[in-house]
Amino acid sequence: MIVTITPNPALDVTYHVPSLTPGGEHRVQHMYVRPGGKGINTAKVLTQLGEQAVATGFSGGANGEDMIQLLDQDRVPHSFVQAMHPTRRTVSIIDPVNGATLFNEPGKERTPHEWNELIELLKDMETPDLFTVNGSFPPGTSEETVRHLYRELLATGTTVLVDTSHDPLRWAIEEGVHAVKPNQHELADLVGSDTEDVRTSITRLLEHVHFVVASRGSQGMIAQVRGGEAVEVPAAKFVVGNPTGAGDSVVASLARSIVRDGLDAAHQPDVLRAWVADAIALSAATVAAPVAGEFDEATYRELLSEEAQ
């Protein structure tokens, strides 16, 4: 079982329009309302893959109720803490020229009591095979709160995979979580250099964590486990669609691979290459789907078939 933790979930609204004109009036061609947030997207993709996943985090107000109802409709198992403030919303506007234009509400600060409830909820669960911590933290979340969450997860002895940014990512690395998935810009922020080679930056992170996968957009991904070789895999062919949630599918793929094979299997270059190739294919197939948290199965199979040739 994989438990995904979304500290700042959302109710996602996606509009598809024929064109986007600032200040203009737009006729929406298609509209989708889905439960959102990076960990929820990861749990939805894992469920679509046939994996056992549980989405957790905070839920509040009417938006939170809608989010829970939609997760039930998608048959995604979940366990959320009822929060005082409402769940935020995000809006994605998709048009053929600009792609995705995003409007993300910041969310509301969670109280110490609510954070304690979440940690107790996680501790009371049947111990999973892997935890993921995905996305931003609510505004005002203290360093001690974030570090405490990481420490409690690590204390279970379960593998912890983190996909966040800025200080929460830095704190995750300093606390020694098992795996992180930064992009190249986050890597530069972590090491304090825009010019340092990605492989060198990964090596520096491996002094604290066991496994790093760095996404580089159109250049693909580089992955390395501590004591192992770096493996570089090129990006998949260009796929037109909605890129929102593509990185969350990378986390879903990595989580599934780690649970299936064990983290130490990443010392085998062929195994690690297969992990990354699968993550890239699943990410591209997510772009081909209309909304985040889903993937186009035909595209996924096609890209995996091309990689195998």
Side-chain angles (χ1 to χ4, degrees):
M1 179 178 69
I2 297 167
V3 173
T4 71
I5 303 165
T6 310
N8 200 20
L11 187 68
D12 281 353
V13 180
T14 302
Y15 295 125
H16 287 253
V17 298
S19 61
L20 181 62
T21 305
E25 182 176 334
H26 299 82
R27 185 175 296 276
V28 176
Q29 295 176 312
H30 304 286
M31 185 188 80
Y32 303 91
V33 180
R34 295 288 189 271
K38 294 177 76 63
I40 289 176
N41 291 339
T42 294
K44 288 176 62 182
V45 168
L46 285 165
T47 300
Q48 190 178 344
L49 287 166
E51 301 295 326
Q52 186 180 8
V54 179
T56 67
F58 300 107
S59 170
N63 288 340
E65 291 175 4
D66 289 344
M67 181 182 73
I68 295 298
Q69 184 178 21
L70 290 165
L71 283 170
D72 288 337
Q73 290 177 11
D74 291 336
R75 298 183 178 179
V76 177
H78 57 80
S79 185
F80 283 83
V81 169
Q82 185 63 39
M84 177 174 60
H85 294 298
T87 298
R88 68 191 179 114
R89 292 170 298 181
T90 64
V91 177
S92 301
I93 301 176
I94 313 298
D95 75 281
V97 175
N98 301 290
T101 301
L102 309 181
F103 298 85
N104 297 326
E105 295 179 2
K108 297 290 186 179
E109 182 175 355
R110 302 305 177 189
T111 66
H113 175 72
E114 289 168 345
W115 277 109
N116 287 335
E117 278 195 84
L118 178 60
I119 288 172
E120 289 304 313
L121 180 154
L122 295 168
K123 290 166 66 175
D124 289 343
M125 282 183 170
E126 176 185 349
T127 303
D129 300 295
L130 185 143
F131 285 111
T132 71
V133 181
N134 307 65
S136 64
F137 283 74
T141 305
S142 70
E143 177 179 351
E144 180 52 37
T145 295
V146 178
R147 288 184 182 272
H148 181 54
L149 173 64
Y150 295 145
R151 290 169 189 159
E152 291 290 348
L153 297 178
L154 290 167
T156 67
T158 297
T159 301
V160 180
L161 168 60
V162 174
D163 178 26
T164 184
S165 59
H166 305 301
D167 282 337
L169 177 56
R170 188 182 308 279
W171 299 332
I173 293 165
E174 290 174 355
E175 291 296 332
V177 302
H178 300 89
V180 293
K181 190 205 75 64
N183 60 39
Q184 57 188 350
H185 304 297
E186 290 161 350
L187 266 179
D189 180 58
L190 287 168
V191 301
S193 172
D194 292 322
T195 59
E196 185 169 282
D197 177 76
V198 170
R199 289 174 181 255
T200 303
S201 298
I202 290 174
T203 300
R204 291 176 60 181
L205 265 58
L206 289 172
E207 296 173 4
H208 305 277
V209 302
H210 192 71
F211 183 50
V212 178
V213 179
S215 56
R216 303 187 299 157
S218 62
Q219 293 180 289
M221 297 183 190
I222 298 179
Q224 187 173 2
V225 66
R226 184 188 297 164
E229 299 178 13
V231 168
E232 184 172 354
V233 180
K237 68 178 183 181
F238 180 73
V239 176
V240 176
N242 178 12
T244 307
D248 308 327
S249 290
V250 171
V251 175
S253 174
L254 293 172
R256 178 176 67 160
S257 295
I258 292 169
V259 169
R260 181 190 63 223
D261 300 332
L263 195 51
D264 284 344
H267 285 95
Q268 304 172 51
D270 289 346
V271 171
L272 181 53
R273 184 174 299 277
W275 287 11
V276 179
D278 183 84
I280 289 174
L282 189 60
S283 175
T286 300
V287 175
V291 293
E294 300 176 6
F295 66 92
D296 184 86
E297 295 188 15
T299 301
Y300 179 46
R301 289 193 297 270
E302 177 187 350
L303 293 172
L304 284 180
S305 176
E306 290 178 1
E307 174 63 26
Q309 293 175 3

